[in-house]
Amino acid sequence: MIANSGCVASVICLPVLVGLLSPLKRFNRVAFYCLAVAAPILSLLILLRSGIDPNPIVLGKYFVFSLDTYSFAYATLVDICWVLTLIYSAGYVPFHFQEKAETFHRYIAFAVALSLATGLSGNFFSMLLFYFLSIPVIAPLISLRQTPEAQNAMRVYLKATLLPFLLIAVPAILWHFPLFESFDGYTLKSLGISDSHAAILLAALIIGF
């Protein structure tokens, strides 16, 4: 049985490693794709070996993660999508932006790592931090072609993610929720607020994210 703290760290760090190894594609395309595809497969094996854990996983002083049923399913789905993306990109990238292939794979890998970290977060501090960091990583993928349309799409994405997040989600969380407490330690009802207040708060979180 793999320690669940090690499982979470491995699952998040594997795509980071692939991103750091993206320059390898310039020298040996086959070797890079073999390593890149092996990473999510290994991540899936680690998840399956570790299994579901309903208890919060604390890493360091501030970071809390979760491997409950929903987090486990989310991480599994992200890894499967990452494999499919790599397989598809092997044929797509050379015909569309071969000169930017290294950049594409680097940002894809980092985006996967941050998506996994966000989805596995077990407290608001972890979730806010990794979600916020994912925005500037995803933006270059949208504008990768450097066309006016791509640049405009990136600006729309930044406005649609940053503004609701900073103006709605973050204030709602700072107002009502303890940042460092595990998610399984409280619910909206445990905050002692009315149903209408809870509905407004929940809507703010949904719109903000």
Side-chain angles (χ1 to χ4, degrees), residues 138-181:
I138 294 172
L141 286 170
I142 299 174
S143 63
L144 193 63
R145 294 179 184 274
Q146 296 297 312
T147 62
E149 293 80 8
Q151 294 290 343
N152 183 61
M154 182 189 69
R155 287 191 288 270
V156 171
Y157 166 76
L158 290 174
K159 291 178 182 178
T161 52
L162 277 178
L163 292 181
F165 176 69
L166 294 175
L167 298 180
I168 300 176
V170 171
I173 290 170
L174 294 178
W175 183 26
H176 286 284
F177 296 101
L179 283 178
F180 304 109
E181 186 177 336

Side-chain angles (χ1 to χ4, degrees), residues 68-193:
D68 62 13
T69 303
Y70 300 107
S71 300
F72 185 90
Y74 174 82
T76 301
L77 181 60
V78 170
D79 279 335
I80 292 172
C81 290
W82 186 21
V83 172
L84 295 176
T85 299
L86 287 167
I87 294 173
Y88 178 76
S89 68
Y92 179 85
V93 170
F95 296 102
H96 293 272
F97 39 81
Q98 176 61 33
E99 69 283 358
K100 298 177 182 177
E102 181 184 332
T103 302
F104 170 79
H105 285 291
R106 180 170 61 251
Y107 281 113
I108 280 286
F110 291 158
V112 168
L114 290 167
S115 296
L116 286 166
T118 304
L120 294 174
S121 294
N123 66 357
F124 272 118
F125 174 77
S126 304
M127 185 174 69
L128 289 175
L129 176 64
F130 292 121
Y131 178 81
F132 179 74
L133 290 176
S134 70
I135 294 173
V137 171
I138 294 172
L141 286 170
I142 299 174
S143 63
L144 193 63
R145 294 179 184 274
Q146 296 297 312
T147 62
E149 293 80 8
Q151 294 290 343
N152 183 61
M154 182 189 69
R155 287 191 288 270
V156 171
Y157 166 76
L158 290 174
K159 291 178 182 178
T161 52
L162 277 178
L163 292 181
F165 176 69
L166 294 175
L167 298 180
I168 300 176
V170 171
I173 290 170
L174 294 178
W175 183 26
H176 286 284
F177 296 101
L179 283 178
F180 304 109
E181 186 177 336
S182 173
F183 282 143
D184 67 354
Y186 58 88
T187 64
L188 284 175
K189 286 189 175 182
S190 72
L191 296 174
I193 57 180

